[in-house]
């Protein structure tokens, strides 16, 4: 089974201040947050599953980030986020992933899915019904609400990981954006 997530922010104490509603369950304790994320992930994702992470894996050094990643079930693909730039320079961190991309597309049951860390107003095949998944805004407004774009980050969904097909089904309820649909 395939899963998707974004903006895990392992090791990032301040993320609990930035996202007080969605991170409240971690009791303002970064070590507890890290352990709960691993526990929640492994309760859902099996060793045979695959997860797409749309950036911002960790806010710590690569050695510590690798330790977190190795404890997570399943294989992983990283679509790089702004907080990953130093981590991806580490060979050990890179080895935690099947692949790493800046921008990635995949077909899910006949629907083209465009993955990018940031919300974008124009994506490949959007006028033909493709969907766009992003993170970065932690459940905040992207300006694209109502279209076939979704924030798949854990602060937006309330879950550490979500089945990819569930998010595609949800995104397909949005309207199809036409080219150059600025301000709509």
């Amino acid at each position: 089974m395939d899963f998707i997530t974004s903006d895990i922010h392992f090791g990032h104490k301040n993320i609990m201040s930035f996202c007080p509603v969605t991170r409240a369950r971690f009791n303002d304790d970064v070590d507890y947050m890290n352990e709960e994320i691993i526990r929640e992930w492994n309760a859902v994702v099996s060793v045979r599953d695959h997860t797409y992470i749309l950036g911002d894996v960790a806010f710590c050094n690569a050695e510590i980030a690798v330790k977190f990643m190795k404890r997570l079930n399943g294989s992983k693909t990283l679509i790089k986020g702004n907080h990953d730039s130093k981590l991806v320079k580490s060979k050990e961190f890179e080895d935690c992933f099947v692949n790493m991309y800046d921008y990635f597309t995949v077909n899910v049951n006949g629907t083209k899915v465009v993955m990018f860390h940031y919300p974008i107003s124009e994506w490949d095949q959007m006028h033909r019904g493709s969907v766009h998944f992003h993170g970065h805004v932690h459940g905040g407004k992207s300006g694209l609400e109502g279209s076939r774009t979704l924030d798949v980050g854990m602060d937006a969904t309330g879950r550490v990981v979500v089945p990819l097909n569930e998010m595609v089904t949800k995104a397909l309820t949005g309207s199809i954006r036409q080219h150059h649909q600025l301000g709509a």
Side-chain angles (χ1 to χ4, degrees):
M1 182 173 211
D2 289 336
F3 292 89
I4 193 164
T5 191
S6 184
D7 300 284
I8 298 166
H9 286 256
F10 278 120
H12 192 184
K13 170 94 171 128
N14 287 338
I15 196 66
M16 290 178 278
S17 298
F18 302 147
C19 303
V21 174
T22 55
R23 302 278 174 146
R25 71 185 194 265
F26 303 128
N27 305 319
D28 203 33
D29 181 334
V30 71
D31 294 323
Y32 180 70
M33 177 185 75
N34 296 334
E35 292 304 314
E36 278 299 291
I37 289 170
I38 293 167
R39 186 192 63 73
E40 290 178 30
W41 178 296
N42 290 338
V44 175
V45 179
S46 79
V47 295
R48 295 173 306 282
D49 294 331
H50 185 81
T51 303
Y52 296 95
I53 304 172
L54 276 56
D56 290 3
V57 173
F59 201 76
C60 55
N61 68 43
E63 183 180 338
I64 294 169
V66 166
K67 289 178 183 176
F68 291 133
M69 296 311 296
K70 286 184 174 184
R71 293 178 60 198
L72 299 175
N73 285 344
S75 60
K76 296 158 226 37
T77 294
L78 177 64
I79 292 77
K80 295 178 266 186
N82 53 301
H83 289 297
D84 302 317
S85 59
K86 290 181 184 175
L87 296 174
V88 299
K89 294 176 183 175
S90 162
K91 174 74 168 113
E92 291 78 20
F93 183 77
E94 181 182 341
D95 288 345
C96 294
F97 301 93
V98 175
N99 290 300
M100 281 197 234
Y101 303 98
D102 292 314
Y103 176 102
F104 183 69
T105 62
V106 65
N107 185 298
V108 178
N109 299 323
T111 298
K112 183 172 195 158
V113 176
V114 174
M115 300 179 192
F116 191 57
H117 178 66
Y118 305 98
I120 50 178
S121 61
E122 297 268 337
W123 62 89
D124 189 26
Q125 300 297 310
M126 69 177 196
H127 63 292
R128 292 193 171 102
S130 69
V131 301
H132 165 46
F133 294 147
H134 65 86
H136 189 68
V137 296
H138 295 270
K141 299 285 185 195
S142 68
L144 300 168
E145 290 74 20
S147 69
R148 290 186 172 192
T149 185
L150 290 175
D151 180 351
V152 297
M154 61 179 275
D155 296 304
T157 66
R159 296 185 276 174
V160 173
V161 292
V162 180
L164 180 60
N165 61 358
E166 179 182 319
M167 295 308 283
V168 170
T169 299
K170 182 176 180 181
L172 289 174
T173 65
S175 62
I176 295 174
R177 286 181 58 87
Q178 299 305 309
H179 281 302
H180 315 294
Q181 189 176 337
L182 300 175

